[in-house]
């Protein structure tokens, strides 16, 4: 039996005996303490900060026990995240091992909250015709006359007689359960059939419900939507940071890791499979089922991702999509047995991997394509999918082109000082009075807008849509100029020098927050956003040039984690070429919608395969004009004269804020 | 580091340091000593007897070292096999752990020899059209214009352009190797394609050879035939005792084990999969390949077995074929990915499981059916497949019926005192002079017949065909009567009382043998054979009655391990209803031939599926007449007057033996 130590977590008041050498994070998980661990214990997100309050020991005097309680100096990994302003005793829970009795305080900011399920912007209206369906059959018990007919043959005959299904086969694992299911259900059983082709599950008796999971793997974040395939409704959502982040923050660095480490591909593949299994485990808690494998209730899974994530997920060497001529291993969609990938859904079920478009444009863009259906429309539409890579689709029923541009993770709230995911406590909308520079903001989980006057409102950080909002508002209020530089001496204490000596804007004072620290927007945050939006703008502009398109009829903003982007703010920042504000539509996570649609209606899979081949990939990063355009596009707003409606908007903003709040 | 002991094996003279606690068998295997282990270390075959000659130690005096060298008294398992006549110091190598320095003698009888590859009786003449074929393609290296086409799509286009193959898919594991194979082979690669449907392997460059394995799993013995699919030739054969034997010697006792033990099915399935992987590992030594998985060279595998072995192999619950109404899980053929079964051939390859006929008649009988093709013939043919179960096929082009009867393993040389497999040293043919009762016999590995006069000829035991021969000859020479009872006082020392007081016939004197013991045929051996042949005869007779067949045009004797059965001997013993001797054909292992044919020609798979449904199963064990018929059928020969030709044969036998030896 290993040595154990008493550990107390405050303010939750949870306590217990924890084995020596476990991390504080493991202790928190063991004791049911709510502690954020976005990155999956990889020491990269810096979100699991805790304060070591004291060591206590009944055996030793304080001094001697202290010496073995406080861990050695923080590691280099930890020091990247721990700032002087965090105060004393702060450690990353994932990195600190327990070597003695401990009292630990979990700051509000480090407490996890359940991810807010953002309702898809548009109700998905699509015929319910999933790839996986359930059929119930009742048999006459066999007699000695049936000795030469197997149970397999009995089922096939009944499927043809009762449902007109022919040529059905049995998955081998489903076959293994057939005999006992038939007899256990007193010769009534329910057969889960994939694509009217293969039986992937046999259950005794009559079973109605059937579940599928639509998965969207981003470079930075992953999300899974659990769907009830008998209604087509999304009934639960789970998300997490992509556990591959420790191996590279962007696509190219992960490809490089795969190329330079013998086990790099395998390591990253295992990381994402393990992460997805965690999502599966959590998302199925919505389904009340006993048994050792609740995930096995999921009978179908569709998945979208960019091409590099696609290759790594499948264990395909991503080297060749990272170097000229950028050839992917496979373009078409794939159906792979869950057991072959180690995913813990029904092991006889299939993982439907949506097709990719090209070496640089992946299945996530195909998801957007089949969700937004530009190919059925007359209008010239630009669809921008905002993630660590920005992906663009431009076109109409005659022609659609796609491209990809590296935005970085700023739009997702990552690499932003007080960035957080869209969970309760996140500031998601911001208005700044252009005269007083006082902000109002909306926090997820609360219905109303808040100001400083109202006192404590438990803000915790800023999510993706809040970042875009606040920086646009800062520009409109003259806090930053068009180059993104802070304007100082504005007569407000909100604009100040931060601890690093660089300017920052205080969005919420410590007393309004639940983290007892001022929530600020820093010069670094502004720069990160400028880089991201500049990349998007440049991509869209060059694409229009290449296609000879001069005017956009509509812009659709998509993205899993910045999905509530304010369209005014996006115009203010100059995220894309000009278009009337009522023609900017925020569509939510269209890539995820595409995955959900392919789950709910199998014809969407065929459509995805056809359209993924039909769409034309254009390469813009190699355009000679790229660099010059990009430098210009960093400005806010880019070429101000091109925004006739921004001017009017800015005028309008000068009216008292109160009048526009409920809008 | 564990304690080790010096171990010397004689007469091989191999020596080494062996870790304490290893068994003598493990030590023999580690030191490369040739030691029989038919049952795969399950303590059931009793074939690995060794004599512990002495313990020696440089540290201790002999007495003290002896005390910890000789293992404790033999276990009950061992005592079943060790007989007083074995002499002192005999232990089963698989059961004795090494606890001190040892000198061990391996008696000749316990030395393994390589299984003699019995040439299939008839050359299999069948068109070469295997399910798995190799196609080589050469590509132009892709350029930037090919960015939207995956390697997958490139291959499919070339297969269609060059070979007219359409709609091919990729196995997921094969796909993973595609990119590197294409580039590693400088854009020439070879694709192994299953059924012109699915790519199951990609190899760089041009590859010609392709291997498949045909497997015949019997209740008692398993055999694998390695075929070169580019020529259709069998290039290696490996066999072993079925490792499920410890869980039950016959089909019913294994079904019972599966029903009564929670993990029984899993245990037996693991045993046969592990055993088959051992066969795979050994059989591929014929293919010279480096790498960690030489078995992966095998791209296709066909398998036959009885219904219970079929179910257990597939992890299907065998309970329901063991009780009324005896319904199998599946009747048709199955194609299962090697990786799903854990078989260590190409993991993307398929295991083709031939169809079964009914709850009692398995894929092995279907193998016999497609090898013997009664359904194309005018003559009324009885095919007898001899194994632990005897399976019968009776019919012609109009109708073929099948049945099964429990013969026990005697025909395979098991449960026979000096029984052994068909390996060098096995007596395979016997003649006994009816006057002097002196035998002549033929030993596998030697060209000529032998008599006592010739002295030492290194006989080691008796294989299946030898058992049938010697008991038929003993009857003809009057050594046993028609009830199987020994006739004593014949004036020859060869008929004597054995150590158990029961009579026995000395077939070879100790000095002729390599085991320094008289090789005898005991009363128990005769009884075992009578039970076996009685079961066969009864089955055939009742089947003829049910079908209204009065006369057989031909009898075909099949069987993997009694494959060189002497047709005269089989008639003498009364193994089947009467037929002219020139109409008795010994066809070898027809079940295995069927598996080989399905490997070499894929149309045979379709034929097997069609004919397995077409053949009619008849149940004879439940016939009211069964018991009475069986009691009569135990006699030798059954109803002597029904053998007009036996009489003539017996007359002929009275001529000097020498004249008939070369015949």
């Amino acid at each position: 039996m290993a040595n154990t130590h008493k550990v107390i977590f405050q303010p939750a008041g949870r306590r217990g005996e924890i084995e020596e050498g476990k991390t504080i994070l493991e202790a928190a998980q063991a004791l049911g303490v709510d502690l954020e661990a976005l990155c999956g214990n990889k020491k990269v997100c810096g979100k699991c900060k805790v304060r070591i309050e004291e060591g206590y020991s009944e055996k030793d005097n304080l001094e001697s026990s202290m010496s073995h309680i406080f861990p050695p100096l923080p590691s280099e990994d930890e020091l990247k995240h721990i700032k002087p302003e965090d105060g004393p005793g702060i450690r990353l829970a994932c990195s600190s091992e327990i070597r003695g009795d401990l009292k630990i305080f979990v700051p509000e900011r480090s407490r996890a909250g359940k991810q807010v399920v953002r309702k898809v912007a548009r109700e998905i209206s699509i015929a319910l015709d999933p790839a996986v369906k359930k059929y119930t059959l009742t048999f006459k018990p066999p007699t000695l006359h049936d000795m030469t007919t197997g149970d397999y043959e009995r089922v096939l005959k009944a499927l043809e007689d009762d449902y007109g299904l022919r040529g059905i086969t049995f998955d081998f694992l489903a076959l293994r359960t057939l005999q006992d299911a038939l007899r256990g259900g007193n010769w009534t059983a329910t057969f889960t059939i994939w694509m009217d082709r293969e039986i992937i599950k046999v259950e005794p008796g009559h079973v109605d419900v059937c579940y599928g999971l639509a998965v969207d793997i981003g470079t930075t974040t992953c999300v899974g939507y659990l769907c009830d395939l008998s209604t087509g409704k999304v009934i639960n959502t789970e998300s997490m940071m992509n556990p591959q982040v420790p191996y590279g923050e962007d696509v190219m660095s992960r490809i490089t890791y795969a190329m330079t480490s013998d086990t790099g591909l395998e390591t990253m593949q295992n990381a994402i499979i393990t992460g997805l299994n965690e999502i599966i485990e959590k998302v199925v808690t919505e389904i009340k089922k006993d048994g050792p494998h609740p995930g096995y209730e999921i009978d179908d899974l569709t998945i979208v991702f960019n091409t590099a994530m696609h290759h790594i997920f499948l264990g395909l060497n991503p080297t060749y999509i990272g170097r000229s001529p950028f050839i992917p291993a496979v373009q078409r969609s794939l159906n792979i047995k869950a057991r072959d990938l180690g995913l813990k859904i029904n092991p006889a079920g299939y993982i439907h991997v949506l097709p990719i478009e090209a070496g640089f444009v992946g299945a996530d863009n195909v998801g957007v394509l089949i969700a937004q259906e530009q190919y059925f429309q007359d209008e010239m539409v630009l669809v921008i999918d905002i993630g660590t890579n920005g992906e663009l689709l431009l076109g109409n029923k005659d022609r659609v082109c796609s491209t990809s541009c590296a935005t970085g993770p700023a739009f997702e709230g990552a690499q932003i000082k007080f960035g957080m995911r869209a969970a309760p406590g996140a500031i998601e909308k911001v208005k700044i009075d252009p005269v007083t520079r006082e902000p109002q903001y909306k926090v997820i989980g609360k219905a109303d807008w808040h100001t400083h006057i109202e006192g404590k409102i438990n803000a915790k950080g800023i999510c993706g849509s809040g970042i875009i909002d606040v920086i646009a508002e800062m520009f409109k209020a003259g806090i930053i100029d068009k180059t993104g530089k802070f304007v100082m001496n504005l007569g407000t204490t909100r604009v100040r020098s931060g601890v690093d000596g660089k300017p920052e804007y205080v969005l919420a004072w410590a007393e309004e927050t639940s983290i007892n620290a001022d929530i600020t927007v820093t010069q670094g945050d502004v720069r990160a956003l400028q880089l991201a939006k500049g990349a998007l703008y440049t991509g869209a502009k060059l694409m229009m040039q290449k296609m000879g398109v001069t005017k956009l009829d509509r812009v659709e903003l998509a993205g899993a984690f910045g999905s509530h982007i304010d369209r005014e703010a996006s115009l203010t920042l100059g995220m894309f070429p000009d278009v009337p504000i009522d023609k900017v539509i925020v569509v939510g996570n269209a890539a995820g919608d595409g995955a959900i649609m392919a789950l709910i209606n199998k014809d969407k899979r065929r459509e995805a395969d056809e359209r993924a081949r039909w769409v034309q990939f254009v390469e813009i990063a190699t355009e000679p004009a790229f660099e010059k355009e990009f430098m210009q596009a960093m400005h806010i707003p880019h070429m101000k004269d091109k925004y006739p409606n921004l001017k009017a908007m800015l005028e309008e903003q000068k009216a008292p804020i109160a009048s526009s709040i409920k809008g």
Side-chain angles (χ1 to χ4, degrees), chain A:
Chain A
M1 177 80 197
N3 200 9
T4 63
H5 302 288
K6 287 202 183 87
V7 177
I8 300 181
F9 283 95
Q10 296 293 13
R14 299 285 174 94
R15 64 183 65 207
E17 289 285 332
I18 301 294
E19 223 173 90
E20 166 133 353
K22 294 273 177 194
T23 65
I24 292 174
L25 183 57
E26 289 170 322
Q29 287 162 346
L31 297 174
V33 174
D34 174 30
L35 181 53
E36 183 77 274
L38 255 190
C39 68
N41 313 354
K42 300 291 185 198
K43 311 182 186 180
V44 295
C45 74
K47 298 298 182 194
C48 63
K49 283 176 192 164
V50 294
R51 191 165 68 240
I52 296 178
E53 301 247 298
E54 61 174 282
Y56 67 93
S57 168
E58 284 151 18
K59 303 182 288 282
D60 306 326
N61 65 55
L62 188 66
E63 208 158 307
S64 80
S65 72
M66 290 290 278
S67 67
H68 69 269
I69 286 160
F70 284 97
L73 286 175
S75 65
E76 270 186 48
D77 281 344
E78 286 183 87
L79 285 175
K80 282 184 203 155
H81 299 285
I82 298 172
K83 297 283 150 44
E85 63 266 33
D86 288 333
I90 290 290
R91 297 298 309 271
L92 295 192
C94 66
S95 306
S96 303
E97 292 179 0
I98 292 165
R99 299 278 169 219
D101 297 343
L102 281 182
K103 190 155 136 197
I104 295 158
F105 184 81
V106 181
E108 164 65 15
R109 193 174 166 185
S110 301
R111 291 175 213 153
K114 194 167 159 54
Q115 172 90 17
V116 170
V117 180
R118 298 295 192 118
K119 194 164 164 294
V120 285
R122 160 185 72 168
E123 273 289 314
I124 293 176
S125 62
I126 186 167
L128 188 64
D129 182 20
V132 163
K133 291 175 193 146
K134 300 214 182 224
Y135 297 87
T136 299
L137 295 172
T138 296
F139 303 85
K140 278 191 214 142
T143 68
L144 281 167
H145 297 290
D146 303 310
M147 277 179 77
T148 59
T149 306
D151 285 341
Y152 189 126
E153 286 73 28
R154 201 161 284 114
V155 171
L156 262 52
K157 183 167 187 315
L159 283 172
E160 185 166 345
D161 291 351
D162 293 9
Y163 294 105
L165 295 172
R166 286 163 187 269
I168 305 291
T169 59
F170 255 97
D171 174 83
F172 175 52
L173 296 187
L175 178 60
R176 278 187 178 165
T177 67
L178 171 62
Q179 299 164 285
D180 292 332
L182 285 177
R183 288 155 185 88
N186 202 17
W187 297 97
T188 290
T190 301
F191 298 82
T192 307
I193 304 187
W194 177 79
M195 295 294 276
D196 286 347
R197 265 187 249 167
E198 182 181 345
I199 297 167
I200 59 168
K201 188 182 273 178
V202 189
E203 293 162 283
H206 179 78
V207 181
D208 262 333
V209 285
C210 189
Y211 300 99
L213 189 71
V215 175
D216 176 14
I217 304 282
T219 307
T220 309
T221 46
C222 309
V223 57
Y225 304 95
L226 181 68
C227 297
D228 180 338
L229 298 182
S230 61
T231 64
K233 300 287 178 212
V234 175
I235 57 170
N236 201 5
T237 304
E238 279 294 336
S239 63
M240 71 187 305
M241 187 177 264
N242 188 325
Q244 296 170 340
V245 167
Y247 311 111
E249 298 210 340
D250 56 34
V251 161
M252 270 316 298
S253 57
R254 284 187 215 160
I255 293 176
T256 304
Y257 182 67
M259 288 166 69
T260 53
S261 162
D262 281 348
T263 57
L265 173 58
E266 195 185 339
T267 301
M268 289 189 288
Q269 189 193 20
N270 287 343
I272 188 61
I273 296 290
T274 304
L276 198 40
N277 280 332
E278 282 171 30
I279 286 182
I280 289 166
E281 198 182 313
K282 285 179 188 162
V283 83
V284 295
T285 53
E286 196 63 24
I287 313 170
K288 295 281 171 278
K289 281 277 181 180
D290 293 333
H293 301 297
Y296 287 14
E297 289 297 312
I298 298 175
D299 288 317
D300 199 11
L301 193 152
T302 55
I303 189 163
V304 297
F305 23 37
N306 63 49
T307 310
M309 300 303 102
H310 166 280
H311 275 52
I312 295 169
F313 175 81
L314 295 171
L316 299 168
N317 190 340
T319 301
Y320 310 112
I321 51 170
R323 66 185 183 210
S324 182
F326 312 105
I327 303 295
V330 53
Q331 184 269 322
R332 70 191 53 205
S333 65
L334 297 172
N335 295 301
I336 299 165
K337 286 279 177 193
R339 61 179 176 264
D340 283 339
L341 280 164
L343 286 178
K344 293 179 181 167
I345 65 163
N346 173 3
Y350 284 94
I351 310 304
H352 181 77
V353 178
L354 271 80
I356 64 169
E357 291 169 30
F360 295 144
V361 188
D364 46 2
N365 201 242
V366 175
V368 174
L369 189 68
I370 62 167
Q372 300 312 110
E373 299 177 338
Q374 281 154 289
Y375 42 76
F376 290 149
Q377 299 170 19
D378 293 320
E379 297 92 344
M380 180 58 61
V381 180
L382 173 67
V383 182
I384 307 179
D385 186 25
I386 298 168
T388 312
N389 277 335
E391 272 150 13
L392 308 177
L393 284 164
L394 175 62
N396 58 18
K397 64 179 165 39
D398 299 322
R399 180 188 182 195
V400 174
C401 290
S402 66
T403 197
S404 175
C405 42
T407 57
F411 289 136
E412 298 176 289
Q415 292 182 352
I416 297 293
K417 187 171 181 187
F418 284 86
M420 67 175 286
R421 58 183 182 173
I427 296 172
E428 58 166 349
K429 290 180 186 298
V430 179
K431 297 281 174 202
I432 299 178
D433 185 310
V435 178
T436 65
R437 275 95 185 189
E438 282 297 300
Q440 284 194 314
Y441 54 86
K442 194 182 167 310
V443 169
I444 293 180
K446 314 235 170 186
D448 301 319
W449 287 74
H450 300 278
T451 61
H452 179 44
I453 305 145
E454 294 167 40
K456 193 164 183 71
I457 40 191
N458 292 320
K460 206 168 140 185
I462 317 172
C463 69
S465 58
I467 297 288
I468 290 170
D469 249 29
V470 70
I471 293 175
E473 290 292 306
M474 285 163 68
F475 172 68
K476 291 193 290 182
I479 299 166
I480 52 174
D481 67 16
K482 68 170 190 173
T483 70
K485 210 167 149 250
F486 270 74
V487 179
M488 305 305 282
N489 305 319
L490 290 173
T492 169
T493 53
R494 289 192 180 262
V495 178
R496 68 185 188 191
S497 275
V499 283
D500 58 355
K502 290 185 182 153
E504 63 186 18
Y505 174 74
V506 182
L507 178 55
W509 297 107
E511 66 258 31
E512 301 163 39
T513 72
S514 58
I515 59 173
N516 289 321
D518 298 344
I519 294 174
T520 61
V521 179
T522 68
Q523 183 68 72
D525 295 344
V526 175
R527 290 290 178 230
L529 199 79
Q530 281 180 279
L531 284 167
K533 79 102 191 173
L536 276 189
Y537 184 94
T538 310
K541 193 174 169 209
L542 291 177
M543 204 170 174
M544 287 173 71
Q545 284 175 6
K546 287 198 88 156
M547 287 178 70
V549 171
T550 52
K551 182 178 161 296
L552 299 175
D553 292 321
R554 192 163 68 247
V555 170
E556 295 177 352
L557 295 178
F561 289 83
S563 62
H564 275 214
I565 295 167
D566 187 86
R567 53 192 187 168
E568 290 178 17
S570 67
L571 270 174
T572 303
L573 288 177
M575 282 171 65
F576 43 82
D578 194 33
V579 73
I581 190 161
D582 61 341
K583 295 296 183 190
V584 178
I585 316 285
V586 178
V587 297
N589 182 16
D593 287 353
I596 293 168
M597 289 164 105
L599 196 60
I600 293 173
N601 186 309
K602 65 178 189 294
D603 283 343
K604 275 290 187 186
R605 301 185 182 191
R606 189 187 37 72
E607 193 174 304
D609 266 317
E610 288 168 6
R611 293 299 179 171
R613 281 193 299 271
W614 177 79
V615 74
Q616 292 169 278
F617 171 72
V618 294
E619 172 58 287
I620 48 120
T622 57
E623 286 293 297
F626 183 81
E627 205 165 326
K628 182 164 154 280
E629 291 285 348
F630 184 64
M631 293 308 292
Q632 286 184 1
M634 294 269 288
H635 286 191
I636 310 167
H638 179 68
M639 292 186 284
K640 198 167 178 175
D641 53 313
K642 277 209 156 185
Y643 287 90
N645 50 331
L646 178 61
K647 208 162 190 175
M649 221 170 66
L650 289 173
E651 291 305 312
E652 191 186 301
Q653 283 308 123
K654 284 177 188 156
I657 283 177
S659 70
S660 68
I661 284 174
K662 309 285 176 188

